[in-house]
Amino acid sequence: MPQRADRHEIRIRITGTNNPEQDIEDLKAWLEREPWLDRRRHDWLLRPRPAGGGADGPGDMAVGVDDLILVVVGAVAAEITKGLGIALQEWLRRRREERDTGERPAVAVGAGEGDPRPLDEAGPGAAAPEHPDPGSPADGSGSTAGD
């Protein structure tokens, strides 16, 4: 996609999972089904994460994983911002429900070259709820000593 003044990049970073490359592909497929994105010219890029990391949530379980960049041509309207936020929150909620033991899935979002900020179900800036590890007694799916 050519460089243009009306070209906007949105950086999406997935952290805290055992297979971030697969999560990137799954998230792309999840977002491609969204009507607000389907109506706009867009493209996907992978860009290396800046060295040194940041305070954007749990650490990576794989070094050298790229960030996903959504490139949108045209004005980035409130529809895209709101639609992307809702879609990412839903994807993250589902990903957390399906997580493996020890995973702490998180998503951060930011403008192109900017440092992404954590996204969670309660909205930007709020602490993400703790979900017990699958199979643990606190999860409700594991057995207890009384069983």
Side-chain angles (χ1 to χ4, degrees), residues 31-40 79:
L31 292 174
E32 283 292 342
R33 69 177 181 69
E34 293 290 328
W36 54 264
L37 185 59
D38 189 47
R39 292 189 296 264
R40 300 202 176 263
E79 176 191 22

Coordinates of all heavy atoms in Angstrom, one line a residue, residues 31-40 79:
L31 N -10.9 -10.0 12.8 CA -11.2 -8.6 12.5 C -11.6 -8.5 11.0 O -12.5 -7.6 10.7 CB -9.9 -7.7 12.7 CG -9.5 -7.5 14.1 CD1 -8.2 -6.8 14.2 CD2 -10.6 -6.8 14.9
E32 N -11.2 -9.4 10.1 CA -11.6 -9.3 8.7 C -13.1 -9.5 8.6 O -13.7 -9.1 7.5 CB -10.8 -10.3 7.9 CG -9.4 -9.9 7.6 CD -9.3 -8.8 6.6 OE1 -10.3 -8.4 5.9 OE2 -8.2 -8.1 6.6
R33 N -13.7 -10.2 9.5 CA -15.2 -10.4 9.4 C -16.0 -9.2 9.8 O -17.2 -9.2 9.7 CB -15.6 -11.6 10.2 CG -15.4 -11.4 11.7 CD -15.9 -12.6 12.5 NE -15.8 -12.4 13.9 CZ -16.6 -11.5 14.6 NH1 -17.5 -10.9 14.1 NH2 -16.4 -11.4 15.9
E34 N -15.4 -8.2 10.3 CA -16.1 -7.0 10.8 C -16.5 -6.1 9.7 O -15.7 -5.7 8.8 CB -15.1 -6.2 11.8 CG -14.8 -6.9 13.1 CD -16.0 -7.0 14.0 OE1 -16.9 -6.1 14.0 OE2 -16.1 -8.0 14.7
P35 N -17.8 -5.7 9.6 CA -18.3 -4.9 8.5 C -17.6 -3.5 8.4 O -17.4 -3.0 7.4 CB -19.8 -4.8 8.8 CG -20.1 -5.5 10.0 CD -18.8 -6.1 10.5
W36 N -17.3 -2.9 9.6 CA -16.7 -1.6 9.6 C -15.3 -1.6 8.9 O -14.9 -0.6 8.3 CB -16.6 -1.0 11.0 CG -15.9 -1.9 12.0 CD1 -16.5 -2.7 12.9 CD2 -14.5 -2.0 12.2 NE1 -15.6 -3.4 13.6 CE2 -14.4 -3.0 13.2 CE3 -13.4 -1.4 11.6 CZ2 -13.1 -3.4 13.7 CZ3 -12.2 -1.8 12.1 CH2 -12.0 -2.8 13.1
L37 N -14.7 -2.8 9.0 CA -13.3 -2.9 8.3 C -13.5 -3.3 6.8 O -12.8 -2.8 6.0 CB -12.5 -3.9 9.0 CG -11.1 -4.1 8.5 CD1 -10.3 -2.7 8.6 CD2 -10.3 -5.1 9.3
D38 N -14.5 -4.1 6.6 CA -14.7 -4.6 5.2 C -15.1 -3.5 4.3 O -14.8 -3.5 3.1 CB -15.9 -5.6 5.3 CG -16.0 -6.4 3.9 OD1 -15.0 -6.8 3.4 OD2 -17.2 -6.5 3.5
R39 N -15.7 -2.4 4.8 CA -16.1 -1.3 4.0 C -14.9 -0.3 3.6 O -15.1 0.6 2.9 CB -17.2 -0.5 4.6 CG -18.5 -1.3 4.7 CD -19.6 -0.4 5.2 NE -19.4 0.1 6.6 CZ -19.9 -0.4 7.7 NH1 -20.7 -1.5 7.6 NH2 -19.7 0.1 8.9
R40 N -13.8 -0.5 4.2 CA -12.7 0.4 4.0 C -11.5 -0.3 3.4 O -11.2 -1.5 3.6 CB -12.2 0.9 5.4 CG -13.3 1.7 6.1 CD -12.7 2.6 7.1 NE -13.7 3.3 7.8 CZ -14.0 4.6 7.4 NH1 -13.4 5.1 6.4 NH2 -14.9 5.3 8.1
E79 N -16.2 5.4 14.0 CA -16.7 4.1 13.7 C -15.5 3.0 13.8 O -15.7 2.0 14.4 CB -17.3 4.0 12.3 CG -17.8 2.6 11.9 CD -18.2 2.5 10.5 OE1 -17.8 3.3 9.6 OE2 -18.9 1.5 10.2

